[in-house]
Amino acid sequence: MDLDLLHSFVSVVDAGGFTRAGERVHRTQSTVSQQIRKLEADLGCALFVREGRQVRLTEDGERLLGYARRMLALSTELRVAVGGQERVEVVRLGIPDDFAVAPLTELVADYARTQPQARLAVRCDLSVALVRAMSRGELDVVLHKREPEGGSCIAAWPEQLLWLGSDASVLLPLPDPVPLVVFPQGCLYRNRAIHALESAGLRWRISYESPNLHGLQAALAGGLGVALLEARCQAAGLRHDERLPAPAPSELALRVAPDAGPAAHGLAARIQAFCNQGAGRAPLRQVA
């Protein structure tokens, strides 16, 4: 494979379009488009679906992405090894937006300062997106929400899910339908909330949707609805609404890719210790 074509392909994915990808690789938009067309011709399949200025991956493109990232990483490793330079291990970490982002980011930054042989790349996203990225080989360490006993992991911790609303709205009669403040589709909490309400025979509607926790907390404080969130997300001005049905349990899991290096395992060990301290006890389950 032509690594230059793969580099342009990955740049288009990461940048979300041909023009921004060209800026990243210092080429014109037309040159990047020509490279993608050549790559598609070499592979005999379409890699992108063009929607105006936006692009999204086809199924073949999704399959290629993991291979492309690994091939580019291996190329970099080869140059370092043959050139006799000190090896730098790239550690790609995925963390959920609503789990102690500030202190966890501080921990990651401290690890980066004390481990010069490691180069960190952090992605903050919904758990479903992080799990999908790890399956494609794009992440080395992932901390994510999941169903209890959802497969092998380094460690897992039970979560405490609460229905949260503003101090004032919790004192008012329960609306019909119940207004929900939620993360986008694919979020485990969103699915838990809808299932719990429907199982209890309660009607619901989406009143506010945001991809980040701060947006949800602002909507809750403004009285726009209720949200099913982990107890650590209970900010000032929010209260647990005990009138709503208890949801199914969930857990926080820490996973490391099978081919991850020593720096990735070192970072995972620090995150595990951080989560143990936050939970106030040892992990619910630990798998070697």
Side-chain angles (χ1 to χ4, degrees), residues 66-95:
Y67 289 108
R69 291 193 191 278
R70 291 198 294 273
M71 290 176 70
L72 292 172
L74 183 61
S75 174
T76 300
E77 182 180 334
L78 183 150
R79 288 192 180 93
V80 171
V82 173
Q85 303 173 28
E86 183 179 356
R87 180 177 176 181
V88 175
E89 180 183 340
V90 177
V91 180
R92 301 160 300 173
L93 169 67
I95 57 176

Side-chain angles (χ1 to χ4, degrees), residues 111-206:
Y111 182 78
R113 286 191 294 268
T114 59
Q115 302 293 323
Q117 82 284 2
R119 182 181 303 160
L120 293 181
V122 183
R123 175 176 174 181
C124 193
D125 208 335
L126 291 177
S127 291
V128 65
L130 298 178
V131 171
R132 191 181 301 122
M134 172 169 264
S135 70
R136 293 196 299 254
E138 298 172 15
L139 294 173
D140 304 299
V141 182
V142 168
L143 186 67
H144 68 96
K145 320 299 181 58
R146 70 177 193 178
E147 300 283 347
E149 312 243 349
S152 63
C153 59
I154 297 297
W157 300 264
E159 293 199 295
Q160 181 185 1
L161 300 184
L162 300 178
W163 288 100
L164 299 179
S166 69
D167 288 337
S169 64
V170 170
L171 300 176
L172 298 174
L174 192 65
D176 180 23
V178 177
L180 291 180
V181 174
V182 294
F183 284 111
Q185 286 188 355
C187 171
L188 181 65
Y189 296 166
R190 176 179 177 144
N191 296 337
R192 286 283 194 279
I194 293 173
H195 180 73
L197 293 177
E198 291 185 344
S199 297
L202 296 173
R203 299 194 305 160
W204 57 272
R205 65 180 180 86
I206 302 298

